[in-house]
Amino acid sequence: MNIEEVRDFALSLPGATEDQAYGEDWVLFRIEVKIFLHIWLNAPEPSCALKLPPEQGQVMRDHHDGIRPAYHLNKVHWNDIYLDEMDGEMVKNLITQSYQLVLSKLPKRLRDKYISA
C-alpha cells in the first residue's frame, strides 16, 4: 500500500475528512473533530500513524517489525505503520480499527450518524 492508497481508504470511511495541521507536510484524517490517522508526507519511509488500544498496540509492535511507537505522538496510544513492511489488507484493517476506536469515543448523537451509514 502506498500513501495515496492509505488516503483513499481513509476517506472512504463514513464521515472521514482530511485536513492539514502542524504545517504543510502533515495530513490528518478525522471523524468529526477527532483524529484517527496522521500522515507525515516528508517521512523518510512511507508510513502513517494510527490509534490502537494500548494493549493491542503493544502486542502488534511485539509481533510486527513494521509497527512501532509513533515518533511524534503519544507512544501509548499511537503507532507508526511502515507501509513497505506491512501487508495492504492489514494496513486497511488497522486504519479501520483506529477509525472505530475514535468513533466509539464520540458522543452517542454523533456516533449514531456514522454507525447507520
Side-chain angles (χ1 to χ4, degrees):
M1 224 175 167
N2 63 40
I3 293 295
E4 279 303 313
E5 291 168 326
V6 168
R7 178 184 179 273
D8 291 344
F9 182 75
L11 289 174
S12 75
L13 298 169
T17 59
E18 171 184 2
D19 64 69
Q20 288 186 314
Y22 320 131
E24 293 180 7
D25 59 341
W26 283 92
V27 180
L28 307 179
F29 297 85
R30 301 174 189 266
I31 177 73
E32 292 294 328
V33 298
K34 300 290 186 179
I35 300 168
F36 68 93
L37 180 70
H38 292 80
I39 297 176
W40 181 27
L41 299 174
N42 293 331
E45 299 176 65
S47 62
C48 61
L50 49 79
K51 200 171 206 181
L52 293 172
E55 325 70 50
Q56 180 187 2
Q58 187 59 55
V59 168
M60 297 296 288
R61 292 177 203 166
D62 291 344
H63 290 90
H64 299 279
D65 291 337
I67 302 176
R68 299 177 203 140
Y71 182 66
H72 287 295
L73 302 165
N74 181 321
K75 291 162 183 28
V76 172
H77 298 282
W78 289 91
N79 302 273
D80 281 338
I81 310 301
Y82 290 85
L83 303 177
D84 291 343
E85 300 179 37
M86 299 296 295
D87 173 72
E89 287 306 310
M90 180 174 275
V91 173
K92 287 180 183 179
N93 183 295
L94 292 170
I95 293 169
T96 301
Q97 287 181 50
S98 181
Y99 169 86
Q100 289 173 341
L101 176 65
V102 172
L103 178 64
S104 74
K105 304 296 183 188
L106 292 176
K108 184 174 178 358
R109 65 180 175 77
L110 295 175
R111 191 173 56 238
D112 287 348
K113 291 189 328 188
Y114 304 106
I115 293 175
S116 61

